[in-house]
Amino acid sequence: MSTAAETRLRSATDPLAALGEVEDRVLWLASAIVDHANRVRPNSSGLKVGGHQASSASMVSIMTALWFRHLRPEDRVSVKPHASPVLHAINFLLGELDASYLPTLRAWGGLQSYPSRSKDPDPVDYSTGSVGIGATATIWGALARRYADQSDDGGFKGRQFALVGDAELDEGAVWEAVLDPQVAELGELVWIVDLNRQSLDRVVPNIAADRLRSMFAAAGWQVLTLKYGTLLEELFTRPGGDALRSRIDGMSNPEYQRLLRCTAGELRERLPGAGPDADRIADLLAQLDDALLTDALRNLGGHDMSALDTAMSAIDDSRPTVLLAYTVKGYGLPSQGHPQNHSSLLTEQQMRELADRVGTDLDQPWTGFAPDSAAGRLCSDAAVRLHRDDPAPVTPPALPLDIGRTPAGTATTQAALGRVLLDLTRSAPDAARRVVTVSPDVSSSTNLGGWVNKVGVWSAGERTDWFADDPETILHWREKPTGQHIELGIAETNLVGLLGELGATWSRWGEPLLPIGVMYDPFVQRALEPWSFGIYAGGQSILVGTPSGVTLAPEGGAHQSITTPSLGVEQPGCVTYEPAFAIDTEWTLLASLARLGRPDGTSAYLRLSTRPVDQNLAVVPTDPAARERRRQQVVAGAYPLLRREGAEVTIAAMGAMVTEALAAAERLRLMGITTDVVCVTSPGLIFRALNSRLGQDDAPDWILDQVFPADRATPLVTVLDGHPHTLAFLSTIHHVPLRTLGVTGFGQSGSLEEVYRYHRIDTDSIIRAALDLTR
């Protein structure tokens, strides 16, 4: 909000004068959006609606300067979550949001709580809301753009701005991303830190700005600091000004924030302090009228249009830039600087006073500017300058349903992943060229070595492979702009962040990619929240967790996943598969790839195993029609692996456990107990089919009749290398007796037989469970 002192300093011809009017209107609209949602709009539930007037106010000056002075149509901006009302206010002034939406913050079908690409009615470049993800998304967005646009300029087309609250820099994932070696080469990155020195509950005693500067600089970033505005900087040049600067620099954050709430008289008493220069400071303050004194104390760089303009003009596009902009939380509002202002709301009287101050009307809050006014022309000029057309949709290349290979011998589903990718380069080269794999330094241990050798490693520029002529080198690390594998450091959150942005290129840039991320399955939980947020934001990708389960027996409990099968079931916007055989891996991977890069697409999670399995156990039909039927069942979630007349019990197994299930069925047969075996490839799809049959979903349900027909309903034993509740719902299809086998405790090292016996998922345990149900 323009201060009285700033207004006096500007002339009618000053180009920043109109910008100040826009700044005031943005502050008003952002405050009114929250006010209307909480105080005016009917609330039948009585629950708090919420919103963040103070957090928005601290960003108003920065966002006004950025949108109306410096932003270009090719740029993209990630806006800190609590400043969403500011973004909507700006979009309204630019003609990108109808006024009818302004009263709908957090209402059904209205403006979202935080910026959302998929749900907000106005332009949003990055969905934000989860701490740290909005900032790091710009890093992965920059990498994804460069990858998708392999042109002569390296894909550098526009800056990627992140508007970040200083408290977000407490998130460890931010520094994992900043420190990745590739980031220092991304000159399009610009982070602007809203350094208001407050968190949700308090004024943070010491925001170590010097330490932040050092950390960013050590990572290769250009660091710009914008601490004081032009008014304060001018005062510092007067007699006693050096002492005033030292006094403000040296005080703690809480003391400074308390001074913001003082009257001019109180400031004259408190601000000089008790140091040796107190008299000099007092003499300087005595020369200032009350309005100038109170304005000067608030004149931080993040609210000074001239200082912001200068700083944004100094951005160096040859390396990432961070601009540390000192601000006041609640700037321009009665709540400014108060330690508990995070979710505080202005009263009706305070809103009316604000309206009078900025020249608007609480009773008619949603007004723009007259088209022929200076501020109106500034808005219309910015709208023309920032206009961009939506990218033309590009349909991803067709993928085969079945490559035609029938694996034999012994193989693992993990190894099948690399085999399918290589087969794809021959059977569907157009589609294969859009595949991009990502891993956190585990390419060789997850069987991607052959694929990496074939397609190369992506790099913004070509690098020499110094081991190319070494005869003992098996994995060739050829880094080039046309490579299709991206290797990150060991930070799973980075991997899924990049995966989400690679999966959004179809909607951002009109270039659909088919991204596959591979990590050890135990670490999927570490990466789940940012991957889930990426799905929410429209990123479509495939996450492969491998190796998985306690089947990785020799490595012990630390590398054995337990709950990931059910996480895949419960993740919205995602289809989860745990294939049992190599052919299942091929079919489910191809089906998952076919769902990517399209408006109705979905992500997928594949849980693969290192357990060698006899591929002949799959009994893949040789007849083409029967083979296609099996493929459809595998992709739909389950298929009958063993059917015998007069079955008394059914074993439903998932993934690597089919070997034990089939062995148990054979031993039960010798006891005179006829057994069916069902292989479940996707518990999530079967659950949706069941819910659809019950009227709770709109998914197809034909798979239930083919795999779990009513006339074969028998007592059920479920078994998987994961938590048993994942498959427990299967008994509700026909309300049959049930025994669930799986992993419920931390693992042990040992042989497969020992580990399976320990967790009671071995063949003997399956037989005992079947006997409990039938004898």
Side-chain angles (χ1 to χ4, degrees):
M1 178 179 167
S2 302
T3 65
E6 286 177 317
T7 301
R8 286 199 299 271
L9 291 172
R10 291 174 181 162
S11 68
T13 59
D14 185 346
L16 296 182
L19 196 64
E21 290 186 60
V22 173
E23 177 189 12
D24 288 349
R25 189 61 53 90
V26 170
L27 175 67
W28 167 255
L29 289 169
S31 302
I33 286 170
V34 178
D35 175 68
H36 193 282
N38 288 272
R39 189 181 57 80
V40 181
R41 192 171 70 220
N43 183 353
S44 58
S45 69
L47 296 174
K48 174 187 173 182
V49 176
H52 301 87
Q53 289 174 325
S55 293
S56 291
S58 67
M59 285 298 302
V60 165
S61 306
I62 293 170
M63 292 177 67
T64 300
L66 181 60
W67 259 265
F68 293 92
R69 289 280 290 181
H70 292 272
L71 205 61
R72 300 166 299 181
E74 62 268 26
D75 298 333
R76 299 293 184 271
V77 187
S78 173
V79 177
K80 80 169 190 177
H82 293 160
S84 65
V86 183
L87 177 61
H88 299 310
I90 289 173
N91 280 336
F92 165 69
L93 292 176
L94 294 175
E96 296 283 359
L97 180 66
D98 190 81
S100 62
Y101 281 104
L102 297 179
T104 68
L105 179 69
R106 303 190 177 200
W108 178 263
L111 302 177
Q112 297 301 295
S113 306
Y114 309 122
S116 171
R117 288 189 71 225
S118 57
K119 295 186 177 182
D120 269 317
D122 52 334
V124 174
D125 292 333
Y126 286 97
S127 296
T128 59
S130 193
V131 174
I133 291 178
T136 58
T138 57
I139 293 176
W140 315 126
L143 271 177
R145 179 159 199 169
R146 288 188 179 221
Y147 183 92
D149 182 7
Q150 296 174 359
S151 54
D152 292 339
D153 61 2
F156 188 147
K157 289 184 171 66
R159 291 170 176 165
Q160 303 286 324
F161 287 91
L163 309 181
V164 187
D166 50 13
E168 286 190 77
L169 297 182
D170 291 342
E171 174 58 54
V174 168
W175 299 104
E176 286 185 343
V178 166
L179 293 175
D180 191 272
Q182 299 184 71
V183 174
E185 300 176 357
L186 301 176
E188 60 265 50
L189 285 179
V190 181
W191 286 13
I192 302 178
V193 179
D194 172 17
L195 202 67
N196 61 47
R197 295 169 285 184
Q198 284 188 237
S199 63
L200 190 150
D201 293 322
R202 61 175 183 153
V203 177
V204 180
N206 292 297
I207 291 289
D210 289 339
R211 184 177 48 146
L212 290 177
R213 281 191 285 271
S214 298
M215 291 169 70
F216 277 107
W221 291 50
Q222 176 193 24
V223 182
L224 303 174
T225 301
L226 193 54
K227 188 169 186 179
Y228 299 119
T230 52
L231 181 58
L232 261 180
E233 290 287 2
E234 191 277 327
L235 290 182
F236 293 154
T237 65
R238 299 185 186 184
D242 58 333
L244 177 61
R245 182 193 287 272
S246 296
R247 166 74 173 121
I248 297 176
D249 281 344
M251 68 177 57
S252 69
N253 294 332
E255 181 182 6
Y256 173 78
Q257 299 282 98
R258 180 63 185 89
L259 292 177
L260 294 175
R261 305 188 60 76
C262 290
T263 64
E266 292 170 329
L267 281 178
R268 297 183 194 282
E269 293 179 7
R270 292 188 176 207
L271 184 53
D277 290 322
D279 290 342
R280 295 179 63 215
I281 296 173
D283 290 343
L284 173 59
L285 301 185
Q287 301 171 26
L288 311 178
D289 63 37
D290 288 353
L292 184 59
L293 174 57
T294 55
D295 286 348
L297 189 68
R298 292 160 175 76
N299 184 228
L300 297 182
H303 300 299
D304 187 289
M305 283 298 167
S306 179
L308 283 165
D309 196 55
T310 300
M312 290 183 187
S313 299
I315 294 170
D316 175 9
D317 286 331
S318 68
R319 55 180 172 152
T321 296
V322 61
L323 171 58
L324 302 175
Y326 282 72
T327 61
V328 175
K329 193 167 184 175
Y331 182 74
L333 304 180
S335 60
Q336 61 184 335
H338 194 278
Q340 280 88 53
N341 67 5
H342 183 77
S343 296
S344 65
L345 299 170
L346 272 62
T347 65
E348 179 180 355
Q349 181 59 35
Q350 289 172 328
M351 286 295 296
R352 292 196 181 280
E353 292 170 358
L354 176 61
D356 290 342
R357 204 159 64 242
V358 299
T360 186
D361 185 352
L362 180 61
D363 298 320
Q364 295 182 343
W366 321 121
T367 56
F369 295 106
D372 58 349
S373 66
R377 288 192 296 273
L378 179 61
C379 291
S380 60
D381 290 347
V384 172
R385 170 171 49 84
L386 295 175
H387 175 76
R388 61 189 186 219
D389 296 321
D390 292 332
V394 175
T395 303
L399 283 141
L401 300 176
D402 185 347
I403 291 174
R405 181 189 298 273
T406 302
T410 300
T412 72
T413 54
Q414 176 180 284
L417 170 68
R419 178 76 264 171
V420 174
L421 291 176
L422 287 174
D423 286 343
L424 199 62
T425 63
R426 292 183 285 270
S427 61
D430 289 343
R433 276 191 287 271
R434 291 190 178 268
V435 172
V436 52
T437 56
V438 187
S439 68
D441 199 31
V442 292
S443 300
S444 56
S445 58
T446 54
N447 284 93
L448 285 181
W451 164 259
V452 172
N453 285 343
K454 174 77 173 178
V455 302
V457 178
W458 180 85
S459 175
E462 190 151 356
R463 295 175 179 168
T464 301
D465 179 8
W466 294 105
F467 287 86
D469 59 349
D470 187 329
E472 296 183 12
T473 297
I474 298 174
L475 180 62
H476 296 284
W477 209 253
R478 293 189 294 269
E479 297 179 83
K480 53 188 178 180
T482 57
Q484 291 180 241
H485 176 75
I486 301 177
E487 189 92 351
L488 300 175
I490 304 176
E492 286 77 13
T493 55
N494 287 354
L495 179 141
V496 295
L498 176 55
L499 206 59
E501 290 305 319
L502 290 168
T505 57
W506 66 274
S507 59
R508 278 198 204 284
W509 324 118
E511 285 293 337
L513 296 176
L514 307 178
I516 302 172
V518 181
M519 67 173 65
Y520 287 176
D521 194 64
F523 306 140
V524 165
Q525 288 173 279
R526 180 188 302 174
L528 185 63
E529 190 242 355
W531 188 55
S532 176
F533 198 84
I535 294 174
Y536 165 80
Q540 299 167 12
S541 61
I542 298 173
L543 181 62
V544 177
T546 185
S548 65
V550 299
T551 297
L552 192 64
E555 294 208 22
H559 275 186
Q560 296 174 356
S561 54
I562 297 172
T563 61
T564 50
S566 60
L567 292 176
V569 175
E570 295 151 10
Q571 173 59 47
C574 171
V575 176
T576 180
Y577 288 111
E578 184 164 346
F581 300 102
I583 191 65
D584 298 352
T585 305
E586 175 190 312
W587 288 338
T588 56
L589 180 61
L590 291 175
S592 299
L593 287 168
R595 296 187 183 104
L596 303 179
R598 54 187 72 246
D600 59 346
T602 59
S603 292
Y605 163 48
L606 272 63
R607 191 173 187 254
L608 304 184
S609 174
T610 51
R611 193 219 177 139
V613 173
D614 181 359
Q615 299 303 300
N616 296 312
L617 296 176
V619 194
V620 180
T622 56
D623 180 83
R627 179 186 175 103
E628 171 57 15
R629 183 171 185 266
R630 166 70 72 85
R631 186 200 67 80
Q632 291 178 3
Q633 291 172 339
V634 167
V635 171
Y639 59 95
L641 186 56
L642 179 65
R643 280 269 168 86
R644 292 190 173 121
E645 288 301 319
E648 300 176 57
V649 65
T650 298
I651 302 172
M654 195 161 80
M657 301 312 302
V658 295
T659 299
E660 277 65 34
L662 289 169
E666 177 58 19
R667 287 172 55 184
L668 287 166
R669 183 187 67 82
L670 295 176
M671 295 181 212
I673 301 173
T674 306
T675 306
D676 281 351
V677 177
V678 169
C679 182
V680 178
T681 55
S682 177
L685 289 178
I686 299 299
F687 183 78
R688 285 199 63 192
L690 177 59
N691 261 6
S692 184
R693 181 156 293 184
L694 298 174
Q696 301 297 318
D697 205 324
D698 57 0
D701 64 0
W702 59 267
I703 190 65
L704 299 179
D705 293 328
Q706 292 194 9
V707 181
F708 298 101
D711 61 358
R712 300 188 71 88
T714 65
L716 183 65
V717 177
T718 64
V719 58
L720 74 154
D721 186 355
H723 201 283
H725 81 82
T726 306
L727 297 178
F729 74 92
L730 293 177
S731 68
T732 65
I733 296 174
H734 296 300
H735 305 285
V736 297
L738 172 72
R739 290 291 185 274
T740 59
L741 304 179
V743 180
T744 58
F746 291 112
Q748 301 286 338
S749 296
S751 67
L752 279 182
E753 293 78 8
E754 291 170 325
V755 170
Y756 284 1
R757 189 180 309 117
Y758 173 80
H759 291 288
R760 298 183 179 88
I761 57 175
D762 59 317
T763 302
D764 287 352
S765 296
I766 298 172
I767 292 171
R768 285 194 295 270
L771 291 174
D772 287 344
L773 293 171
T774 59
R775 294 292 186 265

